[in-house]
Amino acid sequence: MDGTGVPLITPFDEDGELDAERLRELVRWVQDGGVDFIVPCGSNSEAELMGVEERARVVELVADEADVPVMAGTGHPGLAETLRQTDLAAEAGADAALVVTPFYYSHDDETIESYYREVADESPIPVYLYSVPAYTDVKLSPEVVGRLADHDNVAGMKDSSGDVESLQRERRLTEDASFDLLVGSGSVYAHALDAGADGGILGLANVAPERASEIYQFHLAGEDDAARQLNAELVELNRAVTSKYGVPGAKAAMAERGVSAGYPRKPHRPVEEDVRAEIADLIDDATP
């Protein structure tokens, strides 16, 4: 997959239950904004606060509503759960699986590589590696990425480290493979595209799908200066709805844009009014 993907927000009602109709509405919202593919059950989806069967239901709803490819987040700390989640995602209609690095316990590079090979061997759909050290404290090394790229069922990677140097090394080590390299940080989207990324999976695309997609379209047109300028204009909004205020901030921002993303699931809490006002100002600046 290439282009602009979105780790789709999961809407919950006030009691913390999945809101299926709102989820369908969000699929239509991001598609109308121009995203190229959708990623349910990623980090911005609150996937780690959902059970296996609930994640499968989310993927089923998204795949049924979407007109673009679906890459489902299926990773768990353990192999058995990851394999089961991946099977369920395939049955629900996902086109590919996004598998986060095993976390909680520490593992060396050889163990992580072996884990991914086993997942890719067993998965009925293509597997994308997922490195998000800010949440897992695990960073896939470029050398492991390069070796895994040769596996027939490893289709690519989402690198959410924000480290463009690592991304450039990953690109160099995978250049002879059919391997989609996707960046996971909206703050460096244009720079990552310049460095050889094929696209991105951006939390920002929940809030401003049309603007995130515009960065990629500028890049395709060879207008890299315009892509970088637009990216710079979106940095503060991206920071607010990811690293600064997280999922509650993203849901507040979407409400400011007139699309209901429901409530954050506990232990998350809705943002306070001063934060909501700050986000509203950033939305005004970033989405003219």
Side-chain angles (χ1 to χ4, degrees), residues 65-116:
E65 190 68 31
D67 297 321
V68 296
V70 173
M71 179 193 300
T74 65
H76 289 268
L79 177 65
E81 293 83 0
T82 296
L83 293 177
R84 172 163 168 71
Q85 194 78 72
T86 304
D87 284 343
L88 289 172
E91 292 170 10
D95 300 288
L98 181 66
V99 179
V100 71
T101 51
F103 57 92
Y104 190 82
Y105 295 108
S106 296
H107 304 292
D108 59 24
D109 282 353
E110 291 75 13
T111 301
I112 292 175
E113 182 177 347
S114 176
Y115 169 85
Y116 273 117

Side-chain angles (χ1 to χ4, degrees), residues 35-66:
V35 301
D36 298 295
F37 60 98
I38 297 175
V39 185
C41 300
S43 299
N44 287 270
S45 314
E46 299 172 272
E48 297 307 326
L49 304 182
M50 291 189 275
V52 171
E53 300 297 334
E54 191 175 24
R55 282 206 216 180
R57 176 60 175 155
V58 168
V59 174
E60 180 182 37
L61 288 164
V62 172
D64 182 63
E65 190 68 31

Side-chain angles (χ1 to χ4, degrees), residues 20 26 52 62 66 107 172 183 194 197 206 217 222-223 229 250:
L26 294 186
V52 171
V62 172
H107 304 292
R172 182 180 62 81
V183 66
D194 286 347
N206 282 293
Q217 294 305 316
E223 300 179 39
Q229 177 60 40

Side-chain angles (χ1 to χ4, degrees), residues 115-221:
Y115 169 85
Y116 273 117
R117 289 192 182 280
E118 191 159 356
V119 172
D121 286 344
E122 298 293 330
S123 174
I125 51 179
V127 169
Y128 284 73
L129 317 175
Y130 181 20
S131 181
V132 56
Y135 289 156
T136 64
D137 201 30
V138 179
K139 184 177 180 180
L140 271 175
S141 75
E143 291 79 12
V144 169
V145 173
R147 292 193 295 270
L148 287 170
D150 290 332
H151 192 290
D152 290 343
N153 204 33
V154 173
M157 174 186 184
K158 178 186 178 184
D159 182 342
S160 290
S161 70
D163 183 348
V164 177
E165 177 185 310
S166 290
L167 187 137
Q168 287 177 305
R169 295 186 65 216
E170 290 154 4
R171 179 78 294 167
R172 182 180 62 81
L173 291 168
T174 61
E175 60 187 358
D176 294 329
S178 177
F179 189 84
D180 303 328
L181 185 55
L182 306 167
V183 66
S185 173
S187 293
V188 298
Y189 191 23
H191 306 282
L193 293 170
D194 286 347
D198 297 297
I201 303 173
L202 312 175
L204 175 68
N206 282 293
V207 175
E210 74 283 22
R211 306 244 72 194
S213 297
E214 192 177 357
I215 294 173
Y216 183 70
Q217 294 305 316
F218 276 137
H219 173 73
L220 282 186

